Amino acid sequence: MAAHPTPIVSPIDGQIVASRSVLSEEQVQAAVQRASLAFKDWRKVPLEQRITQIQGFVAILEQRRQALAELLMKLIGRPAQQSDELSRVSAVTEDMIMRARQELQDISMNSTAQAQRLVRREPKGLCLAISAWNYPVAMAGGMTVAALLAGNVVLLKHAHQTAPIADFMEQAWCDAGGHPDVFQAVHLDHAGTEQLLASGHVHAVQFIGSDQGGKSVYQAAAAGLVSTGLELGGKDPAYVRADANLASTIPALVAGSFDNAGQSCCSVERIYVHESVYEPFVEGFVSGMNKLTVGHPDSTPDIGPVVSTAAAQRLRKLLVQAQEEGATVIAHPTEVDPSSAYVAPAVLLNVAQDSSLIQDEAFGPLVCITAVADDQHALRLMNDSRYGLTASIWSQDIEQALALSRDVEAGLCYVNRCDHADLNLPWGGVKASGLGRTYGAASFDEYTVLKAFHVNLQS
């Protein structure tokens, strides 16, 4: 029995912009069977031919850049001038192609006249890529390109809110001459996803989403012995030392807190400021926040709506909770419709460290600012979190900032920068922020398995 289509509502104005139905169990099985058969041939395609196919795929996306950006804007409400993510996809593709030519070659390991020893990265097989909605093109592009370059076949499952992005990418792949069974978009609910992972037909899964979602994926993947990579949430801290250059630090942290309406796993949500510069920092930060514009994405504001009215209501409840707990809330002056998906940014002061406002991911344009006495006080509070994706230290003493960063519990630590996924560096978190690494030198770690060869040359 076919599932009824579920509407996709734009946060811009509450209008239905698309609808999607989840696949039936029979449809999922058929997609898996087609992918598994396609893998037998795709894995044998020479690397340079795979590269040519993937370059063609990205070229088709480039030709449709404007349509893709407009689709993204409608689906998640990001301002028009910020909705084009293809430059990131193109840059990642170029970098991964370079790394593929290096990493996917056989490596000789202490070969002698008696024995030849080789190590080869081989594709894992059928990869399930589960992409989040907040950077729907860049994230899906990074996961699929790496997996395909390595010789895997891919099922791309997007969040329901951005499911049309997966269909758009699948169509581009086919229009570029790609085999339709090598890269397929699949629409699954939570139960269907868990059933697929437990089936034993998937060889690797990459998930980007919340820590709770990651735990569900991990448990289901364990039943099928599926290799699992998880990029999960964050409650990313920043520490502003007494010697920080506030003129450059403040605007960078304003952007790092409120870009994409604060809906990024590496958005800055906690800022710890040395008490000697706390007051000028807060004054400058609030001034910078108040200069941001909030409004309809077509009007090119700095901040559009959050992803849904439900998300907006949750954020508004957090602000009420903060005030009830005695925090000082400094809200952006823009007034928004309380029944809409628009949330004006806000600064929260005097928030207790054990409050859920500090401990739980807000995923919206809210940031807590706290005064600290010294470096060790800051480190203790920065690490007092179940998360550990990114963190930043702001200081003109680079040597001391790097020394402090060694004690920060995070997958990536910035000095005088934040809210940036550097494609040259391995990306991933510690603690509840995830498992595994992607990008940089780790680009193919999640998508390949090391196979060893020993050849006796004396027989």
Side-chain angles (χ1 to χ4, degrees):
M1 181 177 179
H4 292 294
T6 302
I8 298 172
V9 177
S10 174
I12 298 173
D13 52 15
Q15 297 297 307
I16 295 175
V17 292
S19 62
R20 290 294 184 275
S21 300
V22 299
L23 299 181
S24 66
E25 184 176 350
E26 292 75 17
Q27 288 172 319
V28 174
Q29 291 174 350
V32 168
Q33 185 176 23
R34 293 194 303 270
S36 299
L37 289 173
F39 173 63
K40 296 178 181 180
D41 294 327
W42 178 248
R43 67 175 300 178
K44 297 176 183 177
V45 173
L47 175 60
E48 289 303 320
Q49 290 185 30
R50 295 203 298 269
I51 288 173
T52 298
Q53 175 59 53
I54 289 164
Q55 288 173 327
F57 163 57
V58 175
I60 293 291
L61 290 175
E62 289 279 4
Q63 292 172 16
R64 301 169 184 176
R65 176 186 289 265
Q66 184 61 33
L68 186 53
E70 290 175 358
L71 176 61
L72 188 154
M73 182 184 73
K74 291 177 182 178
L75 293 172
I76 65 172
R78 189 185 299 159
Q81 77 278 15
Q82 302 168 13
S83 292
D84 184 356
E85 297 181 3
L86 269 182
S87 294
R88 173 76 180 184
V89 174
S90 296
V92 166
T93 300
E94 183 178 345
D95 183 76
M96 287 186 177
I97 286 173
M98 177 272 291
R99 296 184 188 280
R101 288 176 171 141
Q102 298 172 348
E103 299 293 331
L104 301 182
Q105 301 300 316
D106 289 352
I107 302 172
S108 177
M109 304 291 289
N110 298 320
S111 292
T112 67
Q114 292 76 38
Q116 183 180 16
R117 300 177 180 88
L118 298 174
V119 173
R120 176 181 302 162
R121 286 184 181 268
E122 295 204 337
K124 289 183 175 179
L126 174 57
C127 291
L128 176 62
I130 306 176
S131 182
W133 53 262
N134 56 322
Y135 287 94
V137 175
M139 288 177 171
M143 288 193 290
T144 56
V145 165
L148 292 167
L149 276 172
N152 301 284
V153 293
V154 175
L155 299 181
L156 173 59
K157 178 216 169 315
H158 235 300
H160 177 70
Q161 186 68 30
T162 44
I165 298 290
D167 293 331
F168 193 107
M169 295 179 73
E170 179 191 62
Q171 187 62 54
W173 171 263
C174 293
D175 290 348
H179 193 294
D181 298 336
V182 168
F183 177 30
Q184 303 176 62
V186 293
H187 304 300
L188 304 169
D189 57 15
H190 294 316
T193 301
E194 292 174 6
Q195 184 176 3
L196 174 58
L197 287 171
S199 69
H201 297 302
V202 176
H203 303 101
V205 59
Q206 284 294 307
F207 172 84
I208 303 176
S210 69
D211 57 323
Q212 290 302 314
K215 289 177 182 177
S216 296
V217 167
Y218 191 67
Q219 290 172 353
L225 290 178
V226 181
S227 173
T228 306
L230 305 173
E231 181 191 325
L232 308 179
K235 190 72 178 178
D236 293 6
Y239 170 39
V240 180
R241 299 186 75 229
D243 68 340
N245 181 348
L246 297 188
S248 58
T249 297
I250 288 171
L253 282 173
V254 168
S257 302
F258 301 127
D259 279 355
N260 201 33
Q263 298 171 121
S264 172
C265 53
C266 58
S267 291
V268 177
E269 295 200 11
R270 298 179 290 146
I271 303 177
Y272 299 104
V273 184
H274 192 277
E275 58 190 10
S276 65
V277 293
Y278 177 76
E279 289 187 6
F281 178 86
V282 171
E283 181 181 353
F285 190 92
V286 170
S287 176
M289 176 188 73
N290 288 342
K291 291 176 184 176
L292 299 175
T293 56
V294 181
H296 191 288
D298 276 342
S299 65
T300 64
D302 297 301
I303 300 175
V306 294
V307 70
S308 66
T309 54
Q313 293 295 345
R314 177 182 59 80
L315 291 165
R316 282 189 262 273
K317 287 180 181 178
L318 287 177
L319 290 174
V320 172
Q321 176 187 342
Q323 292 174 317
E324 290 175 345
E325 293 181 0
T328 300
V329 175
I330 305 175
H332 186 280
T334 297
E335 294 185 7
V336 298
D337 181 351
S339 66
S340 73
Y342 292 84
V343 177
V347 168
L348 285 66
L349 308 177
N350 305 315
V351 180
Q353 180 68 18
D354 61 356
S355 169
S356 64
L357 296 161
I358 289 284
Q359 295 297 325
D360 298 327
E361 186 175 33
F363 220 68
L366 312 180
V367 63
C368 300
I369 304 178
T370 304
V372 294
D374 53 33
D375 291 346
Q376 293 309 308
H377 187 195
L379 284 173
R380 185 168 67 253
L381 297 184
M382 292 173 80
N383 291 337
D384 180 23
S385 173
R386 71 176 186 275
Y387 295 109
L389 184 57
T390 77
S392 60
I393 296 175
W394 302 78
S395 173
Q396 296 184 73
D397 187 338
I398 303 302
E399 183 177 349
Q400 182 61 23
L402 284 172
L404 290 171
S405 71
R406 296 188 185 100
D407 292 325
V408 174
E409 297 169 358
L412 194 156
C413 192
Y414 307 97
V415 174
N416 298 331
R417 185 163 193 177
C418 63
D419 189 36
H420 172 66
D422 189 332
L423 62 86
N424 296 287
L425 294 173
W427 176 260
V430 299
K431 299 190 286 189
S433 287
L435 299 170
R437 296 292 185 270
T438 54
Y439 298 116
S443 291
F444 297 103
D445 288 352
E446 305 297 323
Y447 304 102
T448 60
V449 61
L450 294 178
K451 185 173 182 178
F453 299 83
H454 182 112
V455 181
N456 183 358
L457 300 176
Q458 293 186 312
S459 60

